[in-house]
Amino acid sequence: KILSVLTEAENWPWDFVDHVKYEAIAQWFVMSIDCKCVVKHPERNPVDELILRLFRSAAELKQKHEDINEEATKKQKIWVKCCTKLLTSCGSKHKNFLSYNQPALHTTLRKILEDISTISSLDSLASPALMKDFLTVLNSNTASVLPGSALMVLQSWLNNQSGKSSTLHSLLNQAGMAVNDIKLASTVTESVLEACFKDSEDDYEPAWSNILDHISWPSGSRIQQLLDQSVGSGHILLLHAYISFKRPQCISCKEEQVLASTLLDWMRLISQQPCPGMEPKLPLLYRQFLVLLQRQSVYSPDQAWVVGALVQFCDVLLTIADSSPGWGQNFLGAIGLRSSADISLKGKFLARALYIYLRILVNTDKTGLVEKELDEESTEKRNLVMSSAEVKPHMEKISNLKSNKAFSGIHDVIDWVITQTKDETNTLADATLYIDHLVVNRLYTDLFLKIE
């Protein structure tokens, strides 16, 4: 009898129950019910299942959108909090249970995110609290599968979200600080940034200037841990966002120099250990570094540092251009299974093209920029660099790419690189224009490369 009553009650009008009464009953419910009921499994008590569905109905999540009011939204936020609390309890008390029922766990997590999407689409102001509650699941017992499952489901869900969604903005605002595990915090933030820039069917055009406003950065040792983790994991969108946030805060040339040195160290580490999905994001760091160098070249009295940093950056670019997979990856490549962490021919071409452009800007003994040596021999010095062993072999490698079938569609880009690098009027100030012309909508089409 009780089962039929509970089933019928799902369709009753629940708008007369205010959020205060709903919350009081919900707190009792979370404390009293078997927390495993939040995940569908063969041994779930049918009464527990129906009560859970009844609580969702009482939160008015089944109502038509036009019928939703402020009271309903408050109840819906309580509903989401109940679900995340039940899951967290399950992660602490029933680790093996979750391991055996991972597909059902993923379904539960997905439904919670779908409810969050529904609520947030009607009331964007509810989004921060809802996403904060979901992120608490990532802070659950690390010995259980729950945090990893929550991350996996979140990343899948992000693929279907619009870049202008309030839920994405709320995640950007909280992930760096609300997720305790630093690796998870870095991964979530990078995944959200990727979602912000994915192609969508609506007219929304993502821009860094808008997205950066939503990111909240932790302070103290936490921010350094987050950045270190991002370098190790190849989370370049996060690193780019941080440089964009930090550079305007620098109040002296020396502070910008320190920032540029830090970025150079990041790129050196990243070049030695590529990570999956990293390659198309690398131009963002190249460009950031060049902007910082350009400013140092104009404003800093320490021009020796500028030249030294530029030469070191050239070394990093060569490391990337000449990178090769290890023995195991060579074997996989031979059977057509190239690792997603490898730098492709396209990525190596970009690194080598940028290397040539920048190396020609520095004189043969690497003591100064050719553009700043105001004498009649500047052209001759540039030609000496171009014919040197540090440049000529790389120019030949670029030229030989035209015979590579993999580059059959971008012969015009190769020709442009060869012509442009021979231009005697090239300066460090033009370097960002050079990389923009090469990268945006030519070598890569990713929306995050469009700097506004």
Side-chain angles (χ1 to χ4, degrees):
K1 180 66 176 178
I2 186 65
L3 296 180
S4 61
V5 172
L6 289 172
T7 302
E8 181 185 344
E10 285 186 61
N11 298 314
W12 293 352
W14 288 102
D15 54 315
F16 61 86
V17 177
D18 63 35
H19 77 279
V20 177
K21 295 185 180 72
Y22 182 87
E23 184 172 22
I25 300 172
Q27 287 176 350
W28 165 83
F29 168 70
V30 170
M31 295 295 293
S32 305
I33 202 167
D34 178 8
C35 59
K36 297 197 299 294
C37 76
V38 74
V39 176
K40 186 176 181 179
H41 62 280
E43 298 177 4
R44 181 163 67 167
N45 187 308
V47 174
D48 287 348
E49 178 184 358
L50 285 171
I51 291 175
L52 195 66
R53 284 165 48 182
L54 184 61
F55 263 89
R56 186 176 184 276
S57 298
E60 300 181 59
L61 274 162
K62 290 188 174 182
Q63 298 297 313
K64 295 179 181 179
H65 288 178
E66 57 267 24
D67 296 335
I68 300 300
N69 52 43
E70 186 178 349
E71 276 296 312
T73 301
K74 289 178 179 179
K75 289 192 290 184
Q76 290 161 5
K77 288 162 71 174
I78 295 166
W79 159 253
V80 169
K81 187 182 288 288
C82 286
C83 292
T84 57
K85 281 185 175 181
L86 288 170
L87 277 175
T88 302
S89 295
C90 217
S92 298
K93 301 173 184 177
H94 306 288
K95 297 186 290 292
N96 292 338
F97 165 78
L98 291 181
S99 297
Y100 295 141
N101 292 278
Q102 280 196 68
L105 170 61
H106 287 194
T107 300
T108 298
L109 288 163
R110 183 82 188 190
K111 286 181 177 178
I112 293 173
L113 285 170
E114 288 171 355
D115 282 346
I116 289 174
S117 292
T118 301
I119 302 164
S120 298
S121 66
L122 300 173
D123 182 4
S124 61
L125 296 178
S127 181
L130 292 166
M131 292 314 309
K132 187 174 182 179
D133 284 332
F134 185 84
L135 292 177
T136 61
V137 179
L138 293 170
N139 295 333
S140 55
N141 189 349
T142 55
S144 81
V145 298
L146 183 54
S149 294
L151 174 63
M152 191 183 305
V153 173
L154 176 63
Q155 289 176 316
S156 172
W157 173 79
L158 285 170
N159 291 330
N160 299 314
Q161 302 305 300
S162 166
K164 59 185 176 183
S165 165
S166 63
T167 51
L168 297 195
H169 298 162
S170 297
L171 281 169
L172 286 177
N173 184 252
Q174 299 181 65
M177 296 180 288
V179 180
N180 295 338
D181 182 272
I182 205 70
K183 186 174 183 178
L184 285 177
S186 175
T187 303
V188 170
T189 305
E190 184 77 2
S191 298
V192 178
L193 287 169
E194 288 174 348
C196 287
F197 285 100
K198 75 177 192 315
D199 286 316
S200 59
E201 296 179 357
D202 55 28
D203 295 331
Y204 174 68
E205 293 186 8
W208 276 106
S209 55
N210 297 329
I211 291 167
L212 290 171
D213 291 339
H214 294 288
I215 303 176
S216 292
W217 298 98
S219 57
S221 60
R222 170 88 177 174
I223 183 62
Q224 191 57 52
Q225 292 170 359
L226 184 66
L227 296 173
D228 290 345
Q229 181 61 54
S230 297
V231 172
S233 301
H235 293 159
I236 290 176
L237 297 186
L238 191 156
L239 296 174
H240 168 75
Y242 179 75
I243 295 292
S244 300
F245 159 75
K246 191 68 177 175
R247 184 165 61 85
Q249 296 185 346
C250 294
I251 60 175
S252 67
C253 283
K254 191 64 180 176
E255 284 192 13
E256 283 201 3
Q257 189 181 109
V258 171
L259 186 61
S261 295
T262 299
L263 178 51
L264 183 59
D265 288 340
W266 291 349
M267 290 190 290
R268 187 179 291 111
L269 291 169
I270 287 169
S271 69
Q272 295 166 357
Q273 192 173 4
C275 298
M278 183 186 82
E279 182 193 319
K281 303 171 185 176
L282 278 172
L284 289 170
L285 297 190
Y286 297 164
R287 196 182 194 284
Q288 287 276 23
F289 186 71
L290 290 173
V291 169
L292 287 165
L293 272 192
Q294 288 167 354
R295 290 177 58 79
Q296 289 293 308
S297 177
V298 173
Y299 301 111
S300 174
D302 189 359
Q303 292 301 299
W305 182 90
V306 175
V307 176
L310 187 55
V311 170
Q312 289 180 60
F313 181 42
C314 285
D315 291 340
V316 170
L317 291 170
L318 266 192
T319 300
I320 295 170
D322 294 331
S323 63
S324 59
W327 180 88
Q329 292 174 349
N330 272 325
F331 174 76
L332 290 174
I335 59 175
L337 296 174
R338 187 178 73 84
S339 167
S340 61
D342 296 345
I343 300 295
S344 71
L345 290 174
K346 186 166 56 175
K348 294 176 183 180
F349 164 68
L350 172 61
R352 198 178 306 280
L354 188 55
Y355 164 82
I356 294 171
Y357 180 95
L358 296 174
R359 181 60 190 88
I360 293 173
L361 298 180
V362 182
N363 59 25
T364 50
D365 56 4
K366 303 177 183 178
T367 57
L369 294 175
V370 174
E371 67 194 67
K372 294 199 174 185
E373 297 179 350
L374 301 177
D375 55 45
E376 296 178 357
E377 299 178 354
S378 60
T379 300
E380 183 179 338
K381 290 180 178 179
R382 188 184 292 269
N383 290 336
L384 279 174
V385 177
M386 288 189 65
S387 60
S388 70
E390 289 187 67
V391 174
K392 188 176 179 181
H394 297 288
M395 283 289 285
E396 291 172 352
K397 286 183 179 180
I398 292 287
S399 299
N400 292 338
L401 289 176
K402 294 182 72 172
S403 61
N404 189 324
K405 292 182 180 180
F407 288 87
S408 59
I410 59 169
H411 283 183
D412 58 327
V413 178
I414 297 172
D415 289 334
W416 182 86
V417 167
I418 294 170
T419 302
Q420 193 64 37
T421 49
K422 293 178 179 178
D423 189 336
E424 295 181 0
T425 64
N426 288 342
T427 65
L428 181 58
D430 299 323
T432 47
L433 298 176
Y434 177 83
I435 193 171
D436 287 348
H437 184 89
L438 263 179
V439 170
V440 180
N441 292 332
R442 285 177 176 80
L443 293 180
Y444 303 103
T445 58
D446 303 84
L447 296 178
F448 51 68
L449 292 170
K450 296 181 179 180
I451 305 296
E452 295 183 6

